[in-house]
Amino acid sequence: MGYNVAIDGPAGAGKSTIAKLLAKEKGYIYVDTGAMYRALAVHFLRRGIKPQETEKIIEAVKDAQVGICYEDGVQQVYLNKENITSQIREEAVGQMASMSSPIPEVRAKLLELQKSLAKEKDVVMDGRDIGTNILPNADVKVYLTASVMCRAKRRYDELTAKGTSCSLEEIEEAIRERDERDMTRKTAPLKKAEDAVLIDSSDMTIEEVVEQIVKLCR
């Protein structure tokens, strides 16, 4: 059995950044579940499907194959054997992933891959229902969060650094809406597992967060 670390939390909390650094520090494999859902989102968008068209999403998921591999230690995401890693962080993809991920058929498509990776390898897996649903028996569970303003500012800085024109107020509102959607969805809602350690990173450096989680691991 692999040693599993589950990191859950809302959008913009720094889950992916922290999980990657933790995996590197401990020598575990980082599994970005969000990237898997984003890969399916790319598939749906390419089909011209809108987020609210649930029946079309359910049909489209049948012929989508998502894979994750590591090339030179870097995670690569594949959709039907095409490397789409560079496309999955686009804003439209994130919105589609958020809207489509609660659909049971979408979740079922990826659940088997996620669990098989965790069973075979020492992994750090981040998402919104890892500790509550995907890996309920994870050795370490963390719920990583930060204030809405803090998360919005991080996203704003990330986008402006790339030369993207954006509004901090609009980003903040989008995060609030996504939190509400993720926390109230019927299927696997975002919530802290009872046995998860709560870490609020609002006033912490990345290094401090990683150090705190490292201390929780074997």
Side-chain angles (χ1 to χ4, degrees):
M1 285 290 292
Y3 188 86
N4 300 164
V5 179
I7 301 178
D8 290 310
K15 299 186 299 296
S16 297
T17 299
I18 299 302
K20 289 174 185 176
L21 291 171
L22 177 66
K24 185 176 181 180
E25 174 78 18
K26 298 294 294 182
Y28 302 160
I29 290 176
Y30 167 60
V31 181
D32 183 355
T33 59
M36 296 178 176
Y37 285 105
R38 284 170 177 266
L40 286 180
V42 170
H43 181 65
F44 303 146
L45 289 170
R46 286 180 173 180
R47 295 289 187 86
I49 299 172
K50 295 180 173 61
Q52 64 272 23
E53 295 180 317
T54 302
E55 292 303 320
K56 290 184 178 180
I57 288 174
I58 292 173
E59 185 62 29
V61 81
K62 295 177 182 178
D63 60 357
Q65 293 299 325
V66 174
I68 284 184
C69 68
Y70 290 81
E71 299 170 9
D72 297 324
V74 179
Q75 177 180 272
Q76 302 295 321
V77 182
Y78 284 80
L79 171 65
N80 295 332
K81 299 183 179 181
E82 175 192 349
N83 190 325
I84 61 165
T85 307
S86 64
Q87 302 173 41
I88 63 173
R89 295 301 169 189
E90 296 174 3
E91 199 65 27
V93 173
Q95 289 299 321
M96 172 60 92
S98 178
M99 295 290 285
S100 61
S101 60
I103 299 172
E105 288 81 357
V106 172
R107 306 191 73 78
K109 184 76 173 183
L110 300 178
L111 185 60
E112 185 176 351
L113 173 60
Q114 293 164 356
K115 288 193 171 185
S116 64
L117 282 169
K119 185 177 181 180
E120 298 167 3
K121 307 288 185 179
D122 295 338
V123 304
V124 180
M125 195 176 293
D126 74 285
R128 285 168 174 72
D129 67 333
I130 308 303
T132 56
N133 186 48
I134 308 301
L135 301 178
N137 297 315
D139 300 277
V140 174
K141 295 181 184 178
V142 171
Y143 188 86
L144 181 65
T145 190
S147 68
V148 172
M149 176 54 74
C150 180
R151 289 185 279 138
K153 184 63 165 58
R154 289 172 181 172
R155 181 60 174 161
Y156 175 83
D157 290 344
E158 179 185 348
L159 290 171
T160 53
K162 295 178 180 178
T164 303
S165 177
C166 55
S167 162
L168 178 60
E169 290 74 19
E170 289 179 0
I171 293 173
E172 183 177 351
E173 180 59 27
I175 286 177
R176 289 185 188 280
E177 290 177 357
R178 185 164 182 177
D179 284 353
E180 175 69 15
R181 188 163 63 239
D182 288 344
M183 291 177 178
T184 58
R185 67 192 188 192
K186 292 182 179 180
T187 304
L190 167 65
K191 64 179 180 178
K192 176 183 172 293
E194 291 185 1
D195 53 347
V197 176
L198 174 65
I199 298 178
D200 188 325
S201 67
S202 298
D203 298 314
M204 298 175 69
T205 65
I206 292 173
E207 292 74 20
E208 287 172 339
V209 176
V210 173
E211 181 180 359
Q212 187 168 337
I213 300 177
V214 165
K215 291 178 180 178
L216 300 173
C217 301
R218 65 183 180 189

